[in-house]
Amino acid sequence: MEIPENVKKRLSIPADEHFYAGHTACQGCGASLGIRYVLKAYGRKTIFTIPACCSTIIAGPWPYTAFEANLFHTAFETTGAVMSGIEAALKAKGYKVKGEDGVMVVGWAGDGGTADIGLQALSGFLERGHDAVYIMYDNEAYMNTGIQRSGSTPYGAWTTNTPGGKRHFLEKRHKKKVIDIVIAHEIPYAATASIAFPEDFIRKLKKAQKTPGPSFIQLFAPCPTGWRSPTDKSIELARLAVQTAYFPLFEYENGRYKINMPSTKKEPKPIEEFLKLQGRFKYMTKEDIEILQNWVLHEWEKLKKLAEVFG
Amino acid sequence: MAEYKPIRKVVSGNYAAAYAVKHARVEVVAAYPITPQTSIIEKIAEFLANGEIEGLEYVPVESEHSAMAACIGASATGARAFTATSAQGLALMHEMLHWASGARLPIVMVDVNRAMAPPWSVWDDQTDSLSQRDTGWMQFYAENNQEVYDGVLMAFKIAETVNLPAMVVESAFILSHTYDVVEMIPQELVDEFLPPRKPLYTLTDFDNPIAVGALGGPNDYYEFRYKIQKAMEKAEKVIHEVGKEFGERFGRDYSQMIELYRTEDADFVFMGMGSLMGTVKQAVDILREEGYKVGAAKVRWFRPFPKKELYELAKSVEGIAVLDRNFSFGQEGILFNEAKGALYNTDAKPLIKNYIVGLGGRDFTVNDVRKIAENMKAIIDKGELDVEVDWYHLKR
């Protein structure tokens, strides 16, 4: 589509598309929007590593690919390791890696492949300081295998292996704070992002590109199939997750924390607003909601404190 | 072509491997320490620290699984990649071995043959590498430190010709930590023998991006498997050619996948793989003097399996004693199993008996070979086996 000159100037999101129509994502898929933005930000001079996850098939079965960038599909737990090898090979062969004109090495993995089975390889990748970007798209369960809980599944969520029944068997643990684990590696740049705030996401992707060393972005990406939510509510849900401080957007840069949103001056919206649009939380009792609400506010206060002290 | 003047160094098997990695101009090494492999990657690190290697990226990964994964990433990006491991580490890598061959990446790895726990053991045993039989990796078994060095150089050339990964296997401690004279090849001659890799594909053509390893439906997957088999079949020819070329250039001929030693007029032969065949060859010389008409058949390449060469050998002898430093539980020694299988539909029907020897580093000596020879002679004279599988060292 031709964009008039005067409009183009105002866009902070690149107009170029490198994610082809005809990919096989579900309707309302947050992850596919994420891919589109990453490709917009980095363009074709990019090498993706994708482990077992929804994106394996979103990209298309052999011989197809919806990515206009090189892509290596790999085993579930190996994203951090494979991208390390790619980065090392590029350097051995004399390519410029990262930076505005360098090759972008991107790991694109779901929450299960990051928070659980891939955590060790992620840790190794971070600790060794490779010039690459790891993006965890967080849809809070193993969606491609049929909606099983992951370490990133929130308290009270229905999944197929934490179902709601007579004895109320639901996820009893809070979401694993992967970004905190990442930050403990003291990498130069880590951030959370959301598909509801693409300008913010693109800005963070660009910052990750400019920052030498390993970067990490945890992208909140709703999944209508797994969340039992209407397919036209994905953006709204992603926005509510931020507004309720359930998934606040912040950056960690060389030891400093900066909260992007929600506003630290206002009370976050009640968590029910986020929960009520989704079938996965329908088994929660009032007490369950209170437990989750308290956790969200507690974590929010912690983050505010971090931003205050280390801002 | 420059004249070949070998450089003689007294090195361990592991150092021989490290020198070969250096001479092969490997671009990425990703590795994790495990006994008794560790001194390979330590030596490579030392080369780097001393500025003796250039153009190599060294990735000290957090596990063997990641070591193979990083090699896969590097190899897919077009680099010549190497790793080394042993036993539990190789088992941990197993999943990614399939990935390397499936993605047709010519990674070369040294496996230092070590027994699998429990009980913990750090000593020689072939079960770790043979457990990787069906991963689509080629496997070369070295008898001595020289063959470790030569094997790594040839493995890269063969692997990069057929686009399959290759494993060079050496014995724990017997080779890995034992020093011996190794004739090394001057760098310029290695460069002539092993030019820079020309990858089948790379992830660095940004104008024509590709996706590797995507989902393959039932209409496609089958053909991918068939092509791996065709590559294995091609490898037999390439192994012969590269082994012959190596012999012509450097005086050590590796054109045969099974090295035959004094088998021409042998009544029966001892067949096995790896360092134990050095002992066997020595025993053959002694037994020959004692009047036994025996020979040794050292299986160098286990994958692809040298069916044709085995058939030719089997036609000419009355018996084969297969010495397995490994075991497949519920069945028998693995080389024995393979050898019998390879001969079943042929007219070569020598008596084949399986001797399980040296598991977990149990000493295997010339005297043991003599006892096996006596037993073999007896069963050949009688015309039938006593037992098919003999747990030779068992404390009875």
Short mmCIF file of all heavy atoms in Angstrom, two decimals, chain B residues 293-318:
data_model
loop_
_atom_site.label_atom_id
_atom_site.label_comp_id
_atom_site.label_asym_id
_atom_site.label_seq_id
_atom_site.Cartn_x
_atom_site.Cartn_y
_atom_site.Cartn_z
N LYS B 293 46.55 -69.76 11.89
CA LYS B 293 46.38 -68.95 10.68
C LYS B 293 45.24 -67.97 10.93
O LYS B 293 44.07 -68.25 10.65
CB LYS B 293 46.09 -69.86 9.48
CG LYS B 293 47.38 -70.49 8.94
CD LYS B 293 47.11 -71.56 7.92
CE LYS B 293 46.74 -71.00 6.58
NZ LYS B 293 46.49 -72.06 5.59
N VAL B 294 45.64 -66.84 11.53
CA VAL B 294 44.62 -65.86 11.93
C VAL B 294 44.95 -64.48 11.36
O VAL B 294 46.08 -64.20 10.97
CB VAL B 294 44.52 -65.74 13.47
CG1 VAL B 294 43.91 -66.99 14.06
CG2 VAL B 294 45.90 -65.49 14.09
N GLY B 295 43.94 -63.65 11.34
CA GLY B 295 44.11 -62.26 10.89
C GLY B 295 43.20 -61.34 11.68
O GLY B 295 42.41 -61.80 12.52
N ALA B 296 43.36 -60.06 11.41
CA ALA B 296 42.51 -59.08 12.10
C ALA B 296 41.74 -58.26 11.07
O ALA B 296 42.28 -57.94 10.01
CB ALA B 296 43.36 -58.17 12.97
N ALA B 297 40.49 -57.96 11.39
CA ALA B 297 39.67 -57.11 10.53
C ALA B 297 39.16 -55.96 11.38
O ALA B 297 38.30 -56.14 12.24
CB ALA B 297 38.50 -57.91 9.94
N LYS B 298 39.75 -54.81 11.15
CA LYS B 298 39.40 -53.64 11.97
C LYS B 298 38.35 -52.82 11.25
O LYS B 298 38.59 -52.27 10.17
CB LYS B 298 40.66 -52.79 12.20
CG LYS B 298 40.42 -51.56 13.04
CD LYS B 298 41.71 -50.80 13.29
CE LYS B 298 42.03 -49.89 12.13
NZ LYS B 298 43.34 -49.26 12.25
N VAL B 299 37.19 -52.76 11.84
CA VAL B 299 36.12 -51.98 11.23
C VAL B 299 36.37 -50.51 11.55
O VAL B 299 36.27 -50.09 12.70
CB VAL B 299 34.73 -52.44 11.74
CG1 VAL B 299 33.62 -51.56 11.18
CG2 VAL B 299 34.50 -53.90 11.36
N ARG B 300 36.73 -49.75 10.53
CA ARG B 300 37.01 -48.32 10.73
C ARG B 300 35.73 -47.51 10.72
O ARG B 300 35.54 -46.64 11.54
CB ARG B 300 37.89 -47.80 9.58
CG ARG B 300 39.34 -48.15 9.67
CD ARG B 300 40.04 -47.47 8.50
NE ARG B 300 41.47 -47.69 8.58
CZ ARG B 300 42.22 -48.06 7.54
NH1 ARG B 300 41.65 -48.27 6.37
NH2 ARG B 300 43.51 -48.22 7.68
N TRP B 301 34.89 -47.78 9.75
CA TRP B 301 33.64 -47.04 9.61
C TRP B 301 32.49 -47.94 10.00
O TRP B 301 32.26 -48.96 9.36
CB TRP B 301 33.47 -46.52 8.18
CG TRP B 301 34.43 -45.43 7.84
CD1 TRP B 301 35.67 -45.57 7.29
CD2 TRP B 301 34.26 -44.03 8.05
NE1 TRP B 301 36.26 -44.35 7.16
CE2 TRP B 301 35.43 -43.38 7.60
CE3 TRP B 301 33.22 -43.23 8.58
CZ2 TRP B 301 35.60 -41.99 7.66
CZ3 TRP B 301 33.39 -41.86 8.62
CH2 TRP B 301 34.57 -41.25 8.17
N PHE B 302 31.78 -47.55 11.02
CA PHE B 302 30.61 -48.33 11.45
C PHE B 302 29.34 -47.81 10.77
O PHE B 302 28.39 -48.55 10.56
CB PHE B 302 30.49 -48.23 12.97
CG PHE B 302 29.31 -48.97 13.53
CD1 PHE B 302 29.32 -50.35 13.60
CD2 PHE B 302 28.18 -48.28 13.96
CE1 PHE B 302 28.21 -51.04 14.11
CE2 PHE B 302 27.08 -48.96 14.47
CZ PHE B 302 27.10 -50.34 14.54
N ARG B 303 29.33 -46.50 10.47
CA ARG B 303 28.27 -45.90 9.68
C ARG B 303 28.93 -44.97 8.69
O ARG B 303 29.63 -44.08 9.12
CB ARG B 303 27.25 -45.13 10.55
CG ARG B 303 26.21 -46.00 11.24
CD ARG B 303 25.24 -46.60 10.20
NE ARG B 303 24.24 -47.45 10.82
CZ ARG B 303 24.39 -48.75 11.10
NH1 ARG B 303 25.53 -49.35 10.81
NH2 ARG B 303 23.42 -49.43 11.64
N PRO B 304 28.68 -45.14 7.40
CA PRO B 304 27.92 -46.25 6.81
C PRO B 304 28.59 -47.59 7.10
O PRO B 304 29.81 -47.64 7.26
CB PRO B 304 27.94 -45.93 5.31
CG PRO B 304 29.10 -45.01 5.11
CD PRO B 304 29.25 -44.24 6.37
N PHE B 305 27.78 -48.64 7.17
CA PHE B 305 28.32 -49.96 7.52
C PHE B 305 28.93 -50.63 6.29
O PHE B 305 28.31 -50.69 5.23
CB PHE B 305 27.22 -50.85 8.11
CG PHE B 305 27.80 -52.07 8.78
CD1 PHE B 305 28.45 -51.96 10.01
CD2 PHE B 305 27.68 -53.33 8.19
CE1 PHE B 305 29.00 -53.09 10.62
CE2 PHE B 305 28.23 -54.45 8.80
CZ PHE B 305 28.88 -54.33 10.03
N PRO B 306 30.17 -51.13 6.43
CA PRO B 306 30.90 -51.67 5.27
C PRO B 306 30.43 -53.08 4.87
O PRO B 306 31.18 -54.06 4.99
CB PRO B 306 32.35 -51.68 5.76
CG PRO B 306 32.27 -51.81 7.24
CD PRO B 306 31.00 -51.15 7.66
N LYS B 307 29.21 -53.16 4.38
CA LYS B 307 28.61 -54.46 4.04
C LYS B 307 29.40 -55.23 2.99
O LYS B 307 29.65 -56.43 3.14
CB LYS B 307 27.20 -54.22 3.47
CG LYS B 307 26.08 -54.32 4.49
CD LYS B 307 24.76 -54.02 3.81
CE LYS B 307 23.72 -55.03 4.18
NZ LYS B 307 22.36 -54.64 3.75
N LYS B 308 29.78 -54.50 1.91
CA LYS B 308 30.44 -55.18 0.79
C LYS B 308 31.80 -55.73 1.22
O LYS B 308 32.14 -56.86 0.90
CB LYS B 308 30.62 -54.22 -0.39
CG LYS B 308 29.33 -53.98 -1.14
CD LYS B 308 29.54 -52.94 -2.25
CE LYS B 308 28.36 -51.99 -2.31
NZ LYS B 308 28.74 -50.59 -2.48
N GLU B 309 32.55 -54.93 1.94
CA GLU B 309 33.87 -55.37 2.38
C GLU B 309 33.76 -56.53 3.36
O GLU B 309 34.57 -57.46 3.35
CB GLU B 309 34.65 -54.20 3.01
CG GLU B 309 35.06 -53.17 1.97
CD GLU B 309 35.82 -51.98 2.57
OE1 GLU B 309 36.49 -52.15 3.61
OE2 GLU B 309 35.73 -50.89 1.99
N LEU B 310 32.75 -56.50 4.18
CA LEU B 310 32.54 -57.59 5.12
C LEU B 310 32.21 -58.88 4.37
O LEU B 310 32.72 -59.96 4.70
CB LEU B 310 31.40 -57.24 6.10
CG LEU B 310 31.00 -58.34 7.07
CD1 LEU B 310 32.15 -58.66 8.04
CD2 LEU B 310 29.75 -57.98 7.85
N TYR B 311 31.39 -58.76 3.34
CA TYR B 311 31.03 -59.93 2.54
C TYR B 311 32.27 -60.56 1.90
O TYR B 311 32.46 -61.79 1.96
CB TYR B 311 30.00 -59.52 1.48
CG TYR B 311 29.74 -60.59 0.44
CD1 TYR B 311 29.09 -61.77 0.81
CD2 TYR B 311 30.14 -60.43 -0.88
CE1 TYR B 311 28.86 -62.78 -0.13
CE2 TYR B 311 29.91 -61.42 -1.82
CZ TYR B 311 29.28 -62.60 -1.43
OH TYR B 311 29.06 -63.57 -2.37
N GLU B 312 33.11 -59.71 1.31
CA GLU B 312 34.33 -60.23 0.68
C GLU B 312 35.19 -60.97 1.70
O GLU B 312 35.75 -62.03 1.41
CB GLU B 312 35.13 -59.09 0.04
CG GLU B 312 34.47 -58.47 -1.19
CD GLU B 312 34.17 -59.49 -2.29
OE1 GLU B 312 35.00 -60.41 -2.47
OE2 GLU B 312 33.12 -59.38 -2.96
N LEU B 313 35.28 -60.39 2.89
CA LEU B 313 36.08 -61.03 3.94
C LEU B 313 35.42 -62.35 4.38
O LEU B 313 36.10 -63.38 4.50
CB LEU B 313 36.19 -60.08 5.15
CG LEU B 313 36.77 -60.68 6.43
CD1 LEU B 313 38.26 -60.96 6.27
CD2 LEU B 313 36.55 -59.74 7.62
N ALA B 314 34.12 -62.31 4.59
CA ALA B 314 33.40 -63.47 5.12
C ALA B 314 33.49 -64.67 4.17
O ALA B 314 33.49 -65.82 4.61
CB ALA B 314 31.94 -63.09 5.40
N LYS B 315 33.55 -64.38 2.85
CA LYS B 315 33.65 -65.44 1.86
C LYS B 315 34.97 -66.22 2.00
O LYS B 315 35.05 -67.37 1.64
CB LYS B 315 33.59 -64.84 0.44
CG LYS B 315 32.20 -64.66 -0.08
CD LYS B 315 32.18 -64.45 -1.59
CE LYS B 315 33.07 -63.30 -2.02
NZ LYS B 315 32.93 -62.96 -3.45
N SER B 316 35.99 -65.49 2.50
CA SER B 316 37.34 -66.08 2.46
C SER B 316 37.74 -66.77 3.77
O SER B 316 38.83 -67.34 3.84
CB SER B 316 38.36 -64.98 2.13
OG SER B 316 38.49 -64.11 3.24
N VAL B 317 36.92 -66.72 4.79
CA VAL B 317 37.33 -67.31 6.08
C VAL B 317 36.30 -68.32 6.59
O VAL B 317 35.14 -68.31 6.18
CB VAL B 317 37.55 -66.22 7.17
CG1 VAL B 317 38.72 -65.33 6.80
CG2 VAL B 317 36.28 -65.40 7.39
N GLU B 318 36.77 -69.16 7.52
CA GLU B 318 35.85 -70.15 8.11
C GLU B 318 35.14 -69.61 9.34
O GLU B 318 34.07 -70.08 9.71
CB GLU B 318 36.64 -71.41 8.50
CG GLU B 318 37.11 -72.21 7.31
CD GLU B 318 37.98 -73.38 7.76
OE1 GLU B 318 37.48 -74.22 8.55
OE2 GLU B 318 39.15 -73.43 7.35
#
